[in-house]
Amino acid sequence: MNLSSQAQVKQVQISRVAEMANLPQPLNIIDWREMALRFDSTVYDFKASGQYWPLVWMDSTRKNFDQPVMGMYTAIGDVRQGPNHNKGMFHEALANMGAVLGASLVGINKGNQQGMNYVSMLKNYFNRDTGWNIMMNNTAPEVALLGGGYGRDWWYDVYPNVLFYAIYEKYPSEPDFDQMAKQIAEKFFKADSILNGNYHYSYFDYAAMLPKTNTICVQPDAAAGHAYVLYAAYKKFGDPRYLQGAISAMKALDAEKINPTYELLMPFGAYLAARMNAESGTNFDLAKMLDWTFSGTAVCREGWGFLVGNWNGIDISGTVGSTVDHGGYSFLMNTFDAAWPLVPLVKYQPAYATAIGKWMLNAVNASRLFYPQYMPAAHQTLAELAAVTKGVIAYEGMAKASTFEDRYLDLKAPVAQGDGPKWVPGKNPEVSQFSVYGSGHVGIFGSIVQKTNVEGVLQLDLNATDFYGAKSFPSWLYYNPHQEDKTVRFEPLDQVDVYNLLTQRFIARNVRAPIEFTIPALASAVLVVLPAGTKTRVKNNQLLGAGRVIDYHYSRKN
């Protein structure tokens, strides 16, 4: 059947996304799920052969918990790391936790993989020996100054807890996780009370329970990280204090007058604005938070945001990082991780479906270019050394011009490269430009992105990264980047009814065979798939079915 999808929900533009290509070129959507599966099988191999391999080792220093923990290189060949340096203790939660989450999102059980429980090992990042009692980027202060921001750079201390709560949802019965999750929530709740609406600090000492400043930027967007963890804790444990804390942190963020973006947390603020407005009756300024997320108008972290550009015929729009450093310098991990909150946001505020769909098409297309096998050799620093990546490790970033002052200066934009050699000047090898920690987050794209029968029209899973979301029906976002209407095929697995969130109408009932629906040019559709015959009702402007919300903003006159 051919069912038209004339949109009814008025779409809101994000000005930065409006500058991106409708249909980025050259277009090549790779299989991100397959990349995530290959990353896992290739990197989690203690017997891997080849120079600089294996990329994992066992750390037996038993910090915080009396168990060994797996270490993972931050970048290939990083001389600070591995079993023979710094007692094997220097490894980052951003790498280890990101890789566990990414694999779990594409269906790998990291709690029991070839006899190893990689989920349990993450407990060593819970810094109870120091009294901080939160997840941190390292297991101990002895290696804190080697890199990675431990105890002095706020987002590095907050983000591992955001990662932990996501992993905790995937492994709710992992021993000690309940207690750790509650301790983290208590720390964040008390910290928010102490901060009392003022997040203008470089970091927070969660042992002394004092906010502090140093030479690093103040990071008011840490409020988004606090709010994310507290809202997840509220959904998990039902303690109304955690909802109160999440609202308090979001109010602090909402009250900011200038763009407070620092690193990875602002997209979570935008997501929470949409979700809490829909679920908890708040009225946070979603448009402002999305503008802060995308626009590149951050002040202290000058220009941090989403890049826009076509460099020498190659679209790089949608990638995330500095919009000003050497003309623009984006990073793979930041791009992967932005999709985690921004895609499910559409479920709670479908007015942004077209904008988020367009951004994701650009980001998904451009992100392949971080990988040496997909970036033309003339645009990367180490094309001749690409084999060391085994096809699963990408460059850390992509810049308009080499950010090295003394080499690669003849390369034309975009330049795939990384900062690893700058971390330990004169000692870190050139191959440390290949980022293991960023590449490990690939499962975020892998769980969200699928192709359809129409080139350039992606099927984006709105539930894959909506952690602690109310039990939802399968929901998919489609954006049509073409200048003409396109007919897209959807193949249900069971007998279903199909609702389009944007037209606020059922477009198919009691179907099992593939259906076709038309998306107008440069527009989108959001399909919610219900078991056939599900009875619906409207309550408080929400369309409900089988005790679940189908549409948070139901307004169609019947």
Side-chain angles (χ1 to χ4, degrees):
M1 60 185 77
N2 194 326
L3 298 148
S4 180
S5 303
Q6 298 304 315
Q8 178 168 313
V9 173
K10 183 174 172 54
Q11 293 297 290
V12 180
Q13 282 199 343
I14 299 171
S15 58
R16 190 73 169 166
V17 177
E19 299 173 35
M20 299 179 187
N22 293 319
L23 184 62
Q25 298 296 326
L27 186 70
N28 182 10
I29 306 300
I30 68 170
D31 187 335
W32 290 101
R33 185 175 187 276
E34 177 63 23
M35 181 66 81
L37 294 172
R38 286 199 296 114
F39 175 92
D40 186 81
S41 62
T42 306
V43 172
Y44 283 86
D45 179 359
F46 290 89
K47 297 179 180 176
S49 60
Q51 189 177 14
Y52 302 112
W53 289 74
L55 299 181
V56 291
W57 72 94
M58 293 307 297
D59 166 6
S60 299
T61 55
R62 298 177 180 264
K63 297 293 184 179
N64 302 305
F65 283 82
D66 187 16
Q67 62 174 14
V69 59
M70 187 199 77
M72 178 181 288
Y73 278 85
T74 296
I76 290 179
D78 192 321
V79 298
R80 305 166 297 176
Q81 298 182 308
N84 302 319
H85 302 100
N86 296 299
K87 302 179 184 176
M89 287 171 53
F90 185 51
H91 42 84
E92 297 190 63
L94 288 183
N96 215 336
M97 296 178 78
V100 167
L101 176 61
S104 303
L105 284 170
V106 294
I108 297 169
N109 180 6
K110 298 299 287 186
N112 183 9
Q113 189 178 33
Q114 298 172 335
M116 302 284 273
N117 186 344
Y118 297 106
V119 178
S120 176
M121 292 179 192
L122 301 178
K123 293 188 295 189
N124 293 65
Y125 293 108
F126 184 80
N127 274 240
R128 62 183 187 182
D129 291 352
T130 62
W132 279 52
N133 289 317
I134 63 169
M135 302 298 284
M136 298 181 73
N137 196 39
N138 304 123
T139 61
E142 291 97 301
V143 291
L145 292 177
L146 292 173
Y150 177 107
R152 64 186 184 278
D153 191 348
W154 207 349
W155 84 271
Y156 270 114
D157 296 330
V158 170
Y159 200 59
N161 299 280
V162 173
L163 284 163
F164 170 76
Y165 258 86
I167 293 165
Y168 175 40
E169 195 216 54
K170 292 291 184 185
Y171 301 93
S173 58
E174 185 62 41
D176 301 311
F177 272 23
D178 279 347
Q179 182 183 3
M180 290 162 55
K182 287 175 182 172
Q183 287 183 279
I184 291 164
E186 287 297 319
K187 284 283 188 179
F188 279 24
F189 176 75
K190 289 172 186 169
D192 176 77
S193 300
I194 290 164
L195 290 159
N196 194 28
N198 177 16
Y199 276 75
H200 284 253
Y201 294 95
S202 302
Y203 73 105
F204 192 92
D205 183 326
Y206 292 90
M209 296 306 286
L210 289 171
K212 297 186 177 179
T213 53
N214 54 27
T215 57
I216 295 171
C217 277
V218 298
Q219 299 176 29
D221 63 342
H226 270 181
Y228 184 87
V229 167
L230 287 167
Y231 200 65
Y234 166 64
K235 290 296 182 179
K236 174 67 177 178
F237 300 116
D239 188 331
R241 293 180 308 127
Y242 298 153
L243 174 59
Q244 174 193 335
I247 291 172
S248 171
M250 283 295 289
K251 282 182 176 177
L253 187 67
D254 204 36
E256 291 297 320
K257 302 301 183 196
I258 60 174
N259 188 344
T261 292
Y262 182 72
E263 180 83 21
L264 281 174
L265 294 171
M266 184 50 68
F268 291 90
Y271 161 81
L272 285 171
R275 182 173 172 187
M276 293 172 72
N277 288 351
E279 288 187 336
S280 298
T282 53
N283 191 31
F284 297 120
D285 191 339
L286 173 56
K288 177 174 76 172
M289 292 192 193
L290 282 168
D291 183 64
W292 283 344
T293 296
F294 280 87
S295 65
T297 56
V299 178
C300 191
R301 193 76 179 276
E302 184 192 0
W304 205 259
F306 288 48
L307 277 68
V308 172
N310 181 292
W311 296 343
N312 293 309
I314 299 174
D315 274 308
I316 56 81
S317 291
T319 57
V320 183
S322 172
T323 63
V324 295
D325 185 2
H326 289 77
Y329 188 13
S330 59
F331 299 92
L332 182 59
M333 187 181 80
N334 296 65
T335 308
F336 282 152
D337 288 25
W340 161 1
L342 290 176
V343 171
L345 178 156
V346 172
K347 192 163 71 173
Y348 301 103
Q349 184 42 272
Y352 288 96
T354 298
I356 296 298
K358 178 179 175 179
W359 161 65
M360 271 296 283
L361 176 60
N362 276 274
V364 168
N365 183 62
S367 290
R368 80 184 189 283
L369 299 169
F370 291 97
Y371 291 84
Q373 65 267 40
Y374 297 111
M375 177 68 94
H379 292 279
Q380 50 179 304
T381 55
L382 303 176
E384 72 283 2
L385 298 177
V388 77
T389 70
K390 300 191 177 185
V392 299
I393 309 297
Y395 286 96
E396 182 187 12
M398 182 165 51
K400 192 167 189 180
S402 168
T403 69
F404 293 90
E405 305 308 320
D406 58 351
R407 53 200 190 277
Y408 313 123
L409 301 179
D410 58 330
L411 296 179
K412 291 186 167 41
V415 177
Q417 60 150 84
D419 289 337
K422 298 180 182 180
W423 298 338
V424 195
K427 294 184 179 178
N428 251 6
E430 291 300 292
V431 292
S432 62
Q433 295 181 63
F434 293 122
S435 172
V436 184
Y437 82 115
S439 304
H441 295 227
V442 63
I444 294 171
F445 272 16
S447 66
I448 292 172
V449 180
Q450 295 180 42
K451 299 202 310 190
T452 68
N453 62 302
V454 179
E455 185 178 30
V457 177
L458 304 179
Q459 177 177 285
L460 304 176
D461 188 339
L462 300 187
N463 291 330
T465 56
D466 187 32
F467 300 104
Y468 304 94
K471 196 170 184 186
S472 297
F473 295 110
S475 303
W476 310 91
L477 165 61
Y478 305 81
Y479 159 70
N480 175 12
H482 299 281
Q483 298 290 339
E484 61 278 337
D485 298 359
K486 290 292 181 181
T487 300
V488 178
R489 185 181 306 116
F490 174 75
E491 301 189 18
L493 298 177
D494 298 298
Q495 208 80 7
V496 298
D497 297 338
V498 182
Y499 179 82
N500 185 348
L501 206 54
L502 301 191
T503 61
Q504 299 192 306
R505 295 177 184 274
F506 281 90
I507 64 169
R509 289 191 185 271
N510 197 29
V511 293
R512 178 69 185 262
I515 67 168
E516 292 185 333
F517 62 100
T518 301
I519 310 176
L522 306 179
S524 55
V526 178
L527 302 191
V528 183
V529 182
L530 294 70
T534 299
K535 289 187 169 57
T536 62
R537 64 190 181 97
V538 179
K539 181 181 179 182
N540 298 328
N541 292 321
Q542 294 183 348
L543 182 65
L544 309 172
R548 308 183 193 184
V549 178
I550 301 165
D551 187 340
Y552 284 94
H553 304 277
Y554 188 72
S555 61
R556 188 167 68 83
K557 303 244 190 315
N558 290 305

